[in-house]
């Protein structure tokens, strides 16, 4: 067999996991990656979880064939969230675990995360180095050995709640929005076991087209429908889950998003009440919002560590609770593993004991600390050092501190942290102040100083932008959808726009009809307010056009239907 091109393969090994376009993961590449993992992890007994993609199931079968040839026993949890996989590794004494799922919900992407016997994320560099040494690719016969299926749901539930007493809980109503990822269905089933909880689920069915919104919590616009559900159902709070269930975004009883750093500060308050001696660790991008909630300063541990190292360091230093700026939450009580059930339980226990609403608990924190986040796309020939030079000019009195993947500019009245990515064209900037007015002032200085070297983007993961940012105005997006009658295929987002002018759109060009009723400026405002909905529909439209649907096959297979390729309706 031909060996895969290592030049392209190296691009798959990113900080957040091994991921990239599906076409780069051919069988030869997959075999080399798995063999490299077997060597690095020194494993003889592996547990595997998958997402909903067919390629994940096919890869599980390929792994079982490789394992059989290499004396490795493989067990499968099926389609479960990351927190249950991590629990299974340590609870059931596996040598390692594999999550077959890319760490981002990007269309046509595939990937892995590999874990050792302590459920620590294995450094991708180790697997890459071994991958490059693999010279022989075995020929597989295609016969997959029987894979042992196991369930850890019951053990996971009772182990998670061993330090929690649901008996004292008051009744709470919760809305869970999974965005058609894999984490929502199993979480709802666990929560439904607790009689004091009324759990309402939406978009729970796994679907890798993500038909309602992206299951990605960094873009808080994805919480729009959850916010409405909280208000409609008079719920106590809501939870937006990312695609594989390892991070969640909380919305309070008013339907407002809770900044992840504010939630972490709130959790610090809960944990110091339950366990005053616990050490608290946090990464350096944000500091004041965490630090000033800890009375015993000797319990503070500064974790100048990347995402994948925080868990390992937290365990080594016996830290009770560790967090970062983007909502990573690790608890000693759950063996330093991500655990959504435990997180929700802690919060409900606190709300019940204090007889408070979640919005009331967060109010003081968000009114004492003001956090701004920015994502910048750098111009050609610019890099993070260019950003540093430009910011030092305008903030010359600040003190510079090097941190992992970036730097901090420290001032008595504000902190600015700048972090780089695998994709060096992007940087993230975090601003922390104790004054809303000062936050606005510093933010404006940052924007003005960087305008000549970078373009400001909506705060999200760069890979999401690369795949889903449409370089069109809202009006242009709307007309693309209308010209293709996309709303008749998926009315979920577009109908709220169309119903503004009723049946008249069938007789007149809709934008012109709207302009006649509302005026050009009103139309522009309307479409701008619906820009996120338009993006979701364009994303789904692209998915449809690239799919092997019956209609697409009809168009490709029949000459007389070719016209529909360029003029669908």
């Amino acid at each position: 067999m031909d060996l895969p091109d290592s030049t392209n393969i190296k691009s798959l090994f990113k900080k957040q996991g091994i991921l990239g376009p599906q076409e780069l993961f051919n069988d030869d590449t997959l075999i080399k990656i798995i063999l490299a993992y077997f060597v690095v992890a020194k494993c003889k007994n592996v547990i595997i979880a998958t997402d909903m993609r067919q390629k994940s199931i096919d890869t599980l079968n390929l792994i079982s064939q490789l394992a059989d040839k290499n004396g490795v026993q493989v067990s499968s949890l099926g389609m479960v969230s990351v927190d249950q996989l991590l629990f299974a590794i340590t609870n059931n004494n596996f040598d390692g675990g594999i999550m077959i799922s890319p760490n981002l919900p990007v269309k046509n992407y595939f990937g892995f995360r590999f874990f050792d016997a302590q459920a620590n994320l294995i450094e991708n560099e180790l697997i890459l180095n071994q991958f490059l040494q693999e010279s022989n690719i075995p020929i597989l016969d295609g016969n997959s050995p029987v894979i042992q299926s196991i369930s850890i749901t019951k053990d996971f539930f009772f182990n998670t709640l061993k330090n929690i007493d649901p008996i004292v809980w008051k009744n709470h109503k919760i809305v869970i929005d999974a965005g058609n990822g894999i984490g929502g269905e199993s979480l709802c089933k666990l929560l439904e076991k607790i009689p004091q909880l009324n759990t309402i689920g939406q978009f729970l069915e796994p679907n890798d087209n993500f038909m309602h919104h992206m299951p990605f919590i960094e873009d808080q616009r994805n919480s729009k429908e959850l916010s409405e559900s909280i208000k409609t159902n008079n719920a106590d709070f809501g939870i937006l889950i990312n695609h594989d269930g390892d991070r969640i975004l909380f919305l309070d009883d008013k339907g407002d998003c809770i900044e992840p750093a504010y939630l972490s500060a709130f959790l610090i308050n809960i944990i110091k009440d339950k366990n005053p001696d616990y050490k608290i660790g946090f990464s350096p991008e944000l500091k004041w919002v965490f630090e000033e909630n800890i009375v015993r300063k000797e319990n503070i541990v500064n974790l100048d560590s990347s995402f994948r190292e925080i868990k390992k360091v937290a365990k080594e230093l016996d830290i009770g609770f560790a967090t970062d700026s983007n909502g990573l939450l690790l608890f000693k009580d759950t063996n330093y593993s991500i655990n959504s059930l435990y997180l929700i339980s802690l919060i409900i226990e606190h709300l019940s004991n204090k007889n408070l609403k979640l919005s009331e608990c967060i109010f003081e924190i968000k009114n004492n600390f003001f956090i701004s986040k920015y994502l910048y796309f750098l111009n050609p020939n610019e890099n993070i050092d260019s950003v540093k030079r430009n910011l030092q000019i305008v903030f010359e009195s600040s003190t510079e501190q090097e941190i992992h993947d970036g730097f901090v500019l420290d001032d008595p009245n504000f902190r600015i942290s700048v972090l780089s990515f695998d994709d060096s064209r992007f940087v993230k900037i975090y601003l922390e102040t104790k004054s809303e007015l000062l936050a606005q002032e510093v933010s404006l200085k940052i924007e003005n100083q960087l305008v000549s070297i970078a373009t400001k983007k909506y705060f999200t993961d760069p890979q999401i932008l690369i795949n889903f940012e449409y370089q069109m105005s809202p009006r242009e997006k709307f007309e693309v959808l209308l010209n293709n009658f996309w709303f008749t295929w998926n009315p979920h987002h577009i109908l709220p726009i169309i119903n503004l002018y009723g049946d008249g759109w069938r007789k007149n060009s809709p934008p012109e009809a709207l302009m006649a009723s509302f005026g050009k400026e009103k139309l522009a405002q309307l479409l701008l307010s619906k820009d996120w909905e338009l993006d979701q529909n364009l994303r789904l439209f692209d998915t449809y056009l690239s799919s092997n649907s019956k209609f697409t096959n009809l168009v490709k297979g029949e000459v007389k239907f070719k016209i529909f390729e360029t003029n669908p309706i």
Side-chain angles (χ1 to χ4, degrees), residues 51 100 103 112 185 192 209 237 288 338 419 422 505 544 557:
D51 64 14
I100 308 179
N103 203 24
F112 301 92
E185 199 168 29
E192 287 167 358
N209 288 324
F237 59 86
W288 294 342
I338 299 155
L419 299 181
D422 283 313
W505 68 269
Y544 174 82

Side-chain angles (χ1 to χ4, degrees), residues 140-173:
L140 303 178
D141 56 18
N143 296 318
S144 300
V146 175
I147 303 171
Q148 180 185 7
S149 296
I150 68 170
S151 173
I152 48 85
T153 304
K154 183 178 178 180
D155 288 345
F156 179 77
F157 179 79
F158 287 108
N159 188 278
T160 297
L161 298 183
K162 66 185 177 184
N163 296 317
I164 302 284
D165 185 9
I167 300 300
V168 303
W169 290 3
K170 295 181 179 180
N171 293 335
H172 282 79
K173 186 185 290 185

Side-chain angles (χ1 to χ4, degrees), residues 259 261-262 285-290 363-374 413-416 430-443:
E259 159 63 40
Y262 295 154
E285 305 91 68
L286 296 172
K287 179 180 179 182
W288 294 342
V289 66
F290 305 140
F363 180 80
E364 185 177 353
I365 297 171
K366 73 177 186 179
N367 280 279
N368 288 333
F369 301 94
F370 299 89
I371 294 170
S372 302
K373 299 177 180 178
Y374 306 98
N413 298 309
F414 61 84
R415 291 182 82 250
I416 300 171
Y430 297 85
L431 168 63
E432 187 176 18
T433 73
K434 297 178 185 178
S435 160
E436 185 173 15
L437 188 61
L438 180 61
Q440 295 170 356
E441 179 185 331
V442 176
S443 295

Side-chain angles (χ1 to χ4, degrees), residues 60-75:
L60 174 61
N61 293 327
L62 185 146
I63 292 174
S64 70
Q65 295 177 56
L66 275 176
D68 188 55
K69 286 182 173 292
N70 287 271
V72 178
Q73 182 178 342
V74 169
S75 300

Side-chain angles (χ1 to χ4, degrees), residues 61-159:
N61 293 327
L62 185 146
I63 292 174
S64 70
Q65 295 177 56
L66 275 176
D68 188 55
K69 286 182 173 292
N70 287 271
V72 178
Q73 182 178 342
V74 169
S75 300
S76 172
L77 289 169
M79 189 169 59
V80 301
S81 54
V82 174
D83 52 1
Q84 294 191 42
L85 170 65
L86 300 182
F87 172 78
I89 293 171
T90 55
N91 186 71
N92 294 53
N93 297 315
F94 286 98
D95 298 330
I98 304 174
M99 185 73 201
I100 308 179
S101 175
N103 203 24
L104 288 173
V106 176
K107 64 181 179 182
N108 299 323
Y109 258 45
F110 184 72
F112 301 92
R113 271 168 288 173
F114 293 110
F115 302 93
D116 62 19
Q118 287 74 46
N120 294 321
L121 192 64
I122 293 178
E123 293 184 23
N124 289 331
E125 289 87 347
L126 297 176
I127 296 179
L128 175 60
N129 291 337
Q130 183 61 39
F131 174 96
L132 296 174
Q133 294 177 37
E134 296 288 340
S135 57
N136 297 316
I137 299 179
I139 298 175
L140 303 178
D141 56 18
N143 296 318
S144 300
V146 175
I147 303 171
Q148 180 185 7
S149 296
I150 68 170
S151 173
I152 48 85
T153 304
K154 183 178 178 180
D155 288 345
F156 179 77
F157 179 79
F158 287 108
N159 188 278

